[in-house]
Amino acid sequence: MPQNSRLRHDGPSQPEDGRQSALRRPVSGMLYRFFYLFSLLPPMLLRLLSLLVYWVLSTVMRYRYSVIFQNLSRSFPEKPSVEIRKIVRQYYRHFSNLFREILESASLSENEMLHRVRVINPELLNRYQQRGRSLIIMLGHQGNWEYLNIVPKYFSFDMYALYKPLSNVYFDDLIKRFRSRFGMKLLPMTQAARFMLTHRDRPQAYFFIADQSPAPGSRCCIDFLNQRTLMFEGAEKLAGSIGAVVLYAEFRRSGEGWDLAFRLITEDPSATSPFEITRTFGKYLETSIQERPSDWLWSHRRWKHTPAEVA
């Protein structure tokens, strides 16, 4: 059964800078109220809105069509063009559904969100937490990753999601409101290493969305979706530094909601070879994508950097 997280305000502090004026709180509050009011529309109207978004993205704007088509074609070279175009349409539909689900979540109660997201095997995380082990949980931009915000309600220990702050402070505030509604603590990427090392003796869980395109010169390069692919290695390095158990997380569509399942990558990062954890993550994510191609974020320019060094 879901459990309420212990909501302690012991996360990393984020001092105000020159951009964060006195207008920040009221402006971000107005933005949130705007989305909140839209989320109160009847479900039928929200579905119609989702269909409108789908039509605009796929037909009017053809949003990043060349990027999506190229990414899919290179990832599935065995598929004919007609099948690739079908997946492109399915992706636009998935993307518009994500928009609707995120919008709806602004006003959903805790119980309603718990019905939207079902954790399949919470006992895996609880087992390691009871042993005093911290967890690093790796996932991709697959399914509805924004629904991670409700996951802390299933557990009795603190959970952190690493994120990169947006340059626009008002939208950054808005995103943080959505992501922290149900007890998920947000940890800026630039503060993650110091925070995790400082709190290494406290069993906690850290979510890493680990499939972004890293900067050129990354040393970790793996075979992923039929392409040599640069990968972030931060999760793997930190797992070794704090002795964390590493898990893979996967969202699967289930009716009107999502199932979230966890899978072990390693209990002992120190016993793995260099980049083995990242390669295993890539393999698991690749399998998830191959099973449900339209559920991944194909509009991202994932392969914009060419591997400079093969691991």
Side-chain angles (χ1 to χ4, degrees), residues 64 67 71 213 297-305:
R64 292 197 172 186
V67 173
N71 283 342
S213 178
L297 190 65
W298 294 105
S299 51
H300 174 54
R301 292 181 61 213
R302 180 58 185 83
W303 291 276
K304 60 185 176 183
H305 299 306

Side-chain angles (χ1 to χ4, degrees), residues 102-135:
I102 294 169
L103 179 59
E104 285 177 332
S105 71
S107 61
L108 290 178
S109 68
E110 177 182 320
N111 284 336
E112 288 171 323
M113 280 297 295
L114 288 170
H115 281 92
R116 294 290 182 96
V117 179
R118 181 178 62 159
V119 176
I120 298 299
N121 53 341
E123 68 280 357
L124 180 62
L125 281 69
N126 287 325
R127 181 193 314 155
Y128 292 114
Q129 191 273 336
Q130 290 164 6
R131 297 177 185 172
R133 301 290 302 276
S134 283
L135 303 168

Side-chain angles (χ1 to χ4, degrees), residues 53 116 158 167-169 174 182 212 229 242-244 252 305:
V53 171
R116 294 290 182 96
D158 289 330
S167 58
N168 184 303
V169 295
L174 176 67
F182 301 108
Q212 302 99 323
T229 303
I242 68 173
R252 286 176 176 263
H305 299 306

Side-chain angles (χ1 to χ4, degrees), residues 115-160:
H115 281 92
R116 294 290 182 96
V117 179
R118 181 178 62 159
V119 176
I120 298 299
N121 53 341
E123 68 280 357
L124 180 62
L125 281 69
N126 287 325
R127 181 193 314 155
Y128 292 114
Q129 191 273 336
Q130 290 164 6
R131 297 177 185 172
R133 301 290 302 276
S134 283
L135 303 168
I136 285 181
I137 304 171
M138 303 174 71
L139 68 158
H141 287 90
Q142 178 261 343
N144 189 343
W145 61 91
E146 293 294 345
Y147 272 8
L148 283 175
N149 66 350
I150 191 61
V151 175
K153 293 300 180 183
Y154 280 91
F155 300 97
S156 61
F157 50 94
D158 289 330
M159 293 188 155
Y160 291 83

Side-chain angles (χ1 to χ4, degrees), residues 231-246:
M231 300 290 283
F232 278 114
E233 50 194 292
E236 178 168 339
K237 286 183 175 179
L238 285 168
S241 297
I242 68 173
V245 175
V246 185

Side-chain angles (χ1 to χ4, degrees), residues 28-42 46 102-109 112 174 177-178 181-182:
S28 61
M30 288 174 59
L31 284 171
Y32 188 83
R33 284 191 291 273
F34 173 79
F35 281 96
Y36 181 89
L37 290 173
F38 257 98
S39 73
L40 296 175
L41 290 171
L46 288 172
I102 294 169
L103 179 59
E104 285 177 332
S105 71
S107 61
L108 290 178
S109 68
E112 288 171 323
L174 176 67
R177 286 190 182 214
F178 274 96
R181 279 192 67 206
F182 301 108

